[in-house]
């Protein structure tokens, strides 16, 4: 080829490039339209599943999908007879083709690291609701010869429990099936809303005292036998237009609970007490508030007047937001008012919704960026990945360490509580589709890359061995029988397979006591982002404002109200993060006696009129489902509970910096220990506050009830100036 020909070919190549770019734009536009249409089809299929007589076959024919596709979108339409489904072998035992041999899991070596006036109504109608410390650096081991991949795939539903053995966690399969895990759901993104939430007229009711606070008025009511109908009649007569009733004291749903075998049965019976004037709300239009939510202590009753079934009045427990500590309804009203005022300083369109979770998620959606890479919204992970995170992303650490881990007689018991612990963990989260890192790929990384991978927003499938001679608490969670139950092995030589966040794995490898052996089996790494950072900062600012007000206000009632409001902000963040996890949704409902029950329901109870039931509807197409964010926050909080550096003070704090065998228990963000240490405290999120001290000798607790009793005694003693 001569120079002239070369130049001509370059020009031709540039022309071809232009044509390819134009064609790519056409394809992208077509793909976007295809995604929109397929998403619309899926929503319509899911909607059709709500009809009791719906069948998968005609829906499949009409939609152009296979029966398998229909059942995947709407599991309730599975036409397989129940007996056949029950007789099927477990999915984890079904052989599947092996796309490629898997590399031998590789032991990870410890990488080197460097260290306005308030409104009369408070809450809106939800738009949609259905019911390191440095270690010597070793050279990485050479990858072992590949071994055959196991010919099974663990299912990503609630993890299996082997008879007499531990719960078996899911894993990512090889080949195309595994590719679906490292993907996002087509056509499903979290977007900023273009509407303002509506408010709901809210009142506060002490059922025990019959005291109602509606706006600025305090009234005395006769609630009769305290059935739902009597409460609604009395409240609506005194405060017409009421749409939400917060019960601040009295728990009417526990009336006559001794007549029932379980507290849940008692609550269900109370919620469904017959009334001539009131019926269970069924919802209408965009307002899908419908049906009761049966919970032992914080139920939600949704009722509609028989003459106007589209109107909805909710009866809820204020315990969803905070423990009143005996505060009267007027103080609770003032707490909600202060809460709204504090949030409006940081969220222009803040409206308090029925629950902290709903409020937290609504406020978060209003922080979704309008500029930059994620201006179009944050993509939602694939259903497979959401299921995996649901089964493997544990929440707070709850563990009791009885004798012989601690002495039978404790020299004392000290409680350290991490202030607003989850608030410290919102600064970074993973965004976009994750990148899968196999054992072979991890082994091919150099030490710096391995450390970077672990410190990124990541989730790892690992095999762990506790080092011989280890004499402190466990560092990594291991599954045990029971839904989402975990333990923390600490016996030298113990080996287990689990999933854990990168922060926890990094701590196990780099802790100052003794590095653990960790073999990487698989992993997922997300791009580092800040999707909940702005939301978290604003909530922490509101919390700080209310906390300061609770200490400085001249009026005792307002100090109490401000304190309750600060606890409500904590609940908004705590339950807002839990809402990102999007557990499989459970719907409760009632059916008149004699009528056919919906398919797949679990009966909770019945009376002479109705059967109360619940059923799981699985993972919905929730545009705000982000379990990857919740898992990272929870993993970070569990890590900080063990070891955290207070940079301003240059001090390491956490359980690993207490003497071995001094740890009595962990409860989410609290450490109970016999060691009375002095850790710096500045009132910032994540810092450990000494909240209780009970002098010894104290019998070591062996049950949760005993621990909580000692906690209460320790808090009371400390509040009176003991052991300060």
């Amino acid at each position: 080829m001569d120079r002239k020909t070369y130049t001509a070919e370059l020009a031709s190549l540039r022309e071809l490039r232009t044509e390819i770019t134009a064609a790519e734009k056409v394809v992208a536009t077509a793909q976007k339209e295809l995604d929109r249409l397929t998403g619309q089809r899926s929503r319509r299929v899911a909607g059709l599943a709500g009809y009791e007589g719906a069948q998968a076959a005609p829906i499949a024919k009409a939609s152009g999908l296979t029966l398998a596709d229909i059942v995947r979108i709407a599991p309730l339409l599975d036409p397989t007879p129940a007996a056949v489904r029950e007789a099927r072998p477990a999915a984890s035992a079904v052989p599947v083709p092996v796309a490629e041999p898997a590399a031998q899991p590789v032991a990870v070596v410890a990488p080197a690291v460097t260290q306005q006036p308030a409104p009369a109504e408070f809450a809106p109608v939800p738009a949609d609701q259905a019911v390191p410390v440095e270690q010597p650096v070793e050279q990485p081991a050479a990858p072992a010869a590949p071994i055959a991949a196991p010919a099974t795939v663990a299912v990503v539903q609630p993890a299996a429990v082997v008879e007499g053995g531990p719960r078996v966690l899911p894993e990512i399969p090889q080949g195309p099936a595994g590719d679906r895990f490292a993907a996002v759901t087509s056509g499903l993104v979290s977007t900023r809303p273009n509407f303002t939430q509506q408010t709901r007229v809210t009142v506060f009711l002490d059922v025990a005292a019959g005291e109602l606070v509606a706006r600025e008025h305090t009234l005395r009511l006769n609630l009769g036998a305290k059935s739902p109908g009597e409460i609604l009649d009395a409240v609506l007569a005194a405060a017409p237009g009421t749409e939400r009733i917060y019960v601040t004291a009295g728990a009417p749903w526990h009336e006559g609970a001794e007549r029932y075998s379980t507290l849940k049965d008692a609550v269900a019976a109370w919620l469904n007490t017959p009334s001539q004037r009131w019926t269970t709300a069924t919802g209408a239009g965009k307002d899908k508030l419908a049906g009761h939510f049966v919970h032992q202590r914080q139920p939600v009753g949704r009722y509609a007047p028989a003459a106007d079934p589209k109107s909805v009045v909710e009866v809820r427990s204020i315990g969803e937001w905070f423990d009143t500590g005996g505060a009267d309804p007027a103080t609770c009203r003032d707490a909600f008012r202060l809460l709204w005022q504090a949030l409006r300083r940081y969220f222009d369109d803040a409206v308090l919704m029925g629950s902290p979770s709903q409020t937290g998620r609504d406020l978060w959606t209003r922080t979704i960026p309008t500029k930059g890479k994620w201006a179009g919204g944050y993509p939602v992970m694939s259903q497979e990945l959401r299921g995996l995170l649901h089964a493997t992303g544990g929440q707070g650490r709850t563990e009791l360490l009885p004798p012989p881990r601690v002495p039978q007689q404790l020299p004392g018991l000290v409680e350290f509580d991490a202030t607003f612990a989850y608030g410290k963990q919102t600064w970074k989260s993973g965004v976009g589709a994750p990148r899968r890192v196999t054992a072979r790929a991890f082994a091919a990384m150099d030490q710096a890359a391995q450390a970077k991978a672990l410190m990124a927003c990541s989730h790892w499938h690992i095999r762990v061995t506790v080092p011989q001679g280890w004499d402190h608490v466990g560092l990594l969670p291991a599954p045990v029988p029971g839904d989402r139950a975990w333990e923390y092995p600490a016996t030298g030589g113990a080996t287990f397979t689990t999933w854990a966040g990168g922060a926890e794995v990094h701590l196990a490898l780099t802790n100052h006591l003794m590095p653990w052996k960790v073999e990487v089996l698989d992993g997922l790494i997300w791009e580092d982002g800040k999707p909940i950072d702005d939301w978290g900062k604003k909530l922490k600012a509101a919390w700080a404002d209310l906390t300061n007000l609770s200490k400085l206000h001249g009026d005792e009632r307002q100090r109490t109200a401000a304190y309750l409001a600060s606890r409500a902000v904590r609940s908004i963040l705590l339950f807002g993060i839990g809402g990102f996890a999007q557990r499989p949704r459970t719907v409760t409902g009632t059916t008149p006696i004699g009528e056919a029950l919906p398919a797949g329901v679990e009966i909770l109870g019945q009376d002479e009129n109705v059967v109360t039931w619940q059923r799981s509807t699985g993972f919905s197409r929730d545009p705000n489902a982000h379990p990857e964010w919740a898992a990272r926050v929870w993993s970070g909080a569990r890590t900080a509970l063990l070891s955290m550096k207070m940079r301003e003070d240059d001090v390491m704090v956490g359980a690993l910096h207490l003497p071995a065998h001094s740890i009595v228990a962990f409860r989410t963000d609290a450490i109970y220990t016999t060691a009375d240490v002095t850790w710096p405290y500045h009132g910032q999120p994540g810092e450990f506050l000494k909240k209780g001290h009970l002098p010894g000798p104290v019998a070591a607790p062996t049950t949760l009830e005993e621990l909580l009793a000692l906690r209460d005694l320790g808090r009371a003693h400390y509040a009176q100036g003991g052991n300060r």
Side-chain angles (χ1 to χ4, degrees):
M1 178 182 295
D2 57 20
R3 182 175 183 81
K4 183 177 180 180
T5 304
Y6 174 76
T7 303
E9 286 295 322
L10 279 180
S12 176
L13 188 59
R14 282 192 288 268
E15 293 174 0
L16 185 59
R17 180 194 66 188
T18 302
E19 293 175 7
I20 291 174
T21 300
E24 286 176 339
K25 291 181 179 179
V26 172
V27 171
T29 300
Q31 183 64 52
K32 184 176 181 179
E33 178 64 11
L34 177 61
D35 290 344
R36 184 188 70 81
L37 293 172
T38 56
Q40 186 179 39
R41 179 175 62 182
S42 295
R43 288 190 293 272
R44 291 187 179 182
V45 168
L48 288 171
Y51 172 56
E52 188 173 340
Q55 295 182 347
I59 295 176
K61 185 176 181 179
S63 63
L65 296 173
T66 66
L67 280 175
D69 291 331
I70 297 299
V71 172
R72 177 180 57 79
I73 296 171
L76 290 176
L77 295 177
D78 189 346
T80 308
V84 176
R85 287 200 300 268
E86 293 172 0
R88 282 175 175 167
S92 57
V94 179
V96 297
V98 178
E100 57 179 308
Q104 173 70 37
V106 177
V108 183
V109 298
V113 295
T114 305
Q115 295 268 158
Q116 310 164 9
E121 303 85 15
F122 301 99
V125 180
D128 180 19
Q129 175 186 335
V131 152
V133 197
E134 295 187 6
Q135 291 289 329
V137 178
E138 304 175 28
Q139 294 300 318
I147 60 173
T152 62
V153 177
V155 293
V156 190
Q157 291 301 328
V161 178
V162 179
E163 182 100 17
R167 190 168 84 256
V168 179
L169 297 180
E171 59 190 54
I172 304 177
Q174 299 296 322
D179 295 339
R180 291 196 293 269
F181 284 73
V184 299
T185 302
S186 176
L188 193 62
V189 294
S190 305
T191 57
R192 193 178 186 123
N194 57 2
F195 63 92
T196 300
Q197 288 287 1
Q198 301 174 4
T199 59
R200 278 186 160 252
V201 181
T202 302
V203 299
F204 301 84
L205 177 66
D206 182 337
V207 173
E211 183 175 291
L212 174 73
V213 172
R215 300 186 177 180
E216 304 305 320
H217 305 289
T218 300
L219 307 167
R220 293 286 176 178
L221 304 182
N222 180 0
L223 301 177
K226 304 174 184 177
S227 68
E230 290 169 299
I231 290 174
L232 291 164
D233 286 340
V235 170
L236 270 294
T242 294
E243 298 172 277
R244 178 171 292 127
I245 303 169
Y246 279 116
V247 174
T248 64
W253 37 80
H254 291 163
E255 294 287 330
E258 67 279 356
R259 302 196 304 268
Y260 299 89
S261 57
T262 68
L263 201 55
K264 198 168 186 177
D265 287 342
V267 171
W270 183 87
L271 289 170
N272 292 291
T273 302
S275 171
Q276 292 183 344
R277 293 190 63 249
W278 296 93
T279 184
T280 302
T282 57
K286 287 187 176 181
D287 180 7
K288 296 182 181 179
L289 286 177
H292 306 315
F293 175 66
V294 182
H295 187 276
Q296 290 92 326
R297 290 175 177 81
Q298 295 171 7
V300 180
R302 298 188 178 99
Y303 301 93
D308 184 12
K310 292 186 179 181
S311 298
V312 180
V313 182
E314 285 188 316
V315 180
R316 311 184 72 116
S317 169
I318 206 167
E320 295 180 79
W321 293 86
F322 48 70
D323 180 353
T324 66
D328 59 27
T331 303
C332 294
R333 173 206 59 197
D334 291 347
F336 270 67
R337 182 171 291 167
L338 290 171
L339 171 63
W340 179 82
Q341 291 172 341
L343 292 174
R344 284 297 287 247
R345 284 194 284 271
Y346 303 99
F347 299 91
D348 293 338
D349 45 4
V351 176
L352 301 185
M353 301 177 72
S355 71
S357 176
Q358 294 168 348
T359 304
R361 296 230 299 187
D362 180 68
L363 293 176
W364 171 74
T365 62
R366 300 172 191 280
T367 67
I368 295 175
T370 57
K371 298 179 181 179
K373 181 176 181 179
W374 304 108
Y378 294 105
V380 175
M381 300 301 103
S382 67
Q383 182 170 320
E384 291 85 353
L385 181 49
R386 280 181 281 153
L388 175 75
L389 291 167
H390 167 66
T392 64
Q395 299 188 32
R397 178 171 183 166
T398 300
E399 183 181 25
L400 179 63
L401 301 169
R405 286 290 303 176
V406 296
Q408 293 281 355
Q409 291 292 315
L410 307 179
L413 186 64
V414 184
E415 177 188 6
F416 290 100
D417 183 72
T419 299
F420 209 1
Y422 288 178
K424 186 177 177 62
Q425 303 299 328
T426 58
W427 65 280
K428 182 177 76 169
S429 301
V431 289
R435 172 170 60 93
R436 184 177 180 183
V437 180
T438 63
R440 177 182 295 167
F442 190 88
M445 298 180 182
D446 59 26
Q447 293 173 350
Q450 287 184 351
K452 182 178 179 180
L454 292 174
M455 294 305 291
C457 297
S458 54
H459 196 56
W460 299 92
H461 191 200
I462 53 177
R463 183 178 297 117
V464 183
T465 301
V466 183
Q468 295 291 349
W470 181 259
D471 195 36
H472 219 293
V473 297
L475 302 185
L476 292 165
V480 293
D483 183 30
R484 297 179 54 76
W486 306 88
E487 65 178 1
Y488 294 81
T491 304
T495 299
F496 56 96
T497 300
T498 190
W499 284 84
E504 294 173 279
V505 178
H506 188 265
L507 177 65
L509 292 166
T510 63
N511 75 85
H512 65 292
L513 299 175
M514 187 183 296
W516 285 31
K517 179 184 177 182
V518 178
E519 297 174 281
V520 166
L521 308 177
D522 219 330
L524 295 164
I525 302 177
W526 285 265
E527 176 187 339
D528 287 353
K530 295 181 176 292
I532 59 175
D533 182 47
D534 185 40
W535 174 74
K537 285 179 178 176
K538 290 179 176 180
L539 289 177
K540 285 182 282 189
W543 169 81
D545 291 348
L546 291 165
T547 299
N548 290 335
L549 187 62
S550 71
K551 298 174 182 176
L552 301 175
H553 202 289
D555 182 82
E556 183 178 357
R557 178 191 290 273
Q558 292 304 302
R559 288 199 301 272
T560 300
Y563 171 74
L564 296 179
S566 71
R567 300 299 292 173
V569 176
R570 176 184 178 274
S571 295
I572 289 173
L573 186 136
L574 179 69
F575 293 113
I577 290 170
F580 287 131
Q582 195 226 13
R583 305 301 178 204
R585 180 170 292 176
T586 298
V587 175
T588 61
T590 58
T591 299
I593 294 291
E595 292 188 11
L597 295 174
V601 303
E602 172 192 355
I603 296 176
L604 298 177
Q606 70 178 66
D607 56 26
E608 62 273 15
N609 298 302
V610 298
V611 176
T612 302
W613 48 262
Q614 70 178 17
R615 70 179 175 191
S616 174
T617 59
F619 294 97
S620 65
R621 282 182 61 88
D622 183 349
N624 297 323
H626 290 285
E628 69 278 14
W629 299 350
R632 204 218 68 82
V633 169
W634 293 334
S635 174
R638 291 194 301 267
T639 304
L641 195 65
L642 295 173
S643 184
M644 177 181 68
K645 184 173 184 177
M646 299 184 65
R647 300 189 181 280
E648 293 182 1
D649 303 278
D650 195 25
V651 172
M652 299 298 296
V653 299
L656 289 185
H657 305 282
L658 295 172
H661 302 284
S662 73
I663 310 298
V664 178
F666 296 99
R667 277 186 57 77
T668 306
D669 49 12
I671 303 172
Y672 296 85
T673 176
T674 61
D676 188 9
V677 296
T678 301
W679 284 338
Y681 183 76
H682 311 292
Q684 297 301 308
E687 295 180 347
F688 286 99
L689 170 66
K690 183 177 178 180
K691 292 186 68 172
H693 189 141
L694 186 63
V698 178
T702 57
T703 65
L704 174 60
E705 291 73 18
E706 292 176 358
L707 174 67
L708 296 180
L710 294 178
R711 178 202 65 182
D712 293 343
L713 291 173
R715 288 183 178 180
H717 178 79
Y718 191 65
Q720 295 171 1
N723 303 97
R724 289 190 181 275

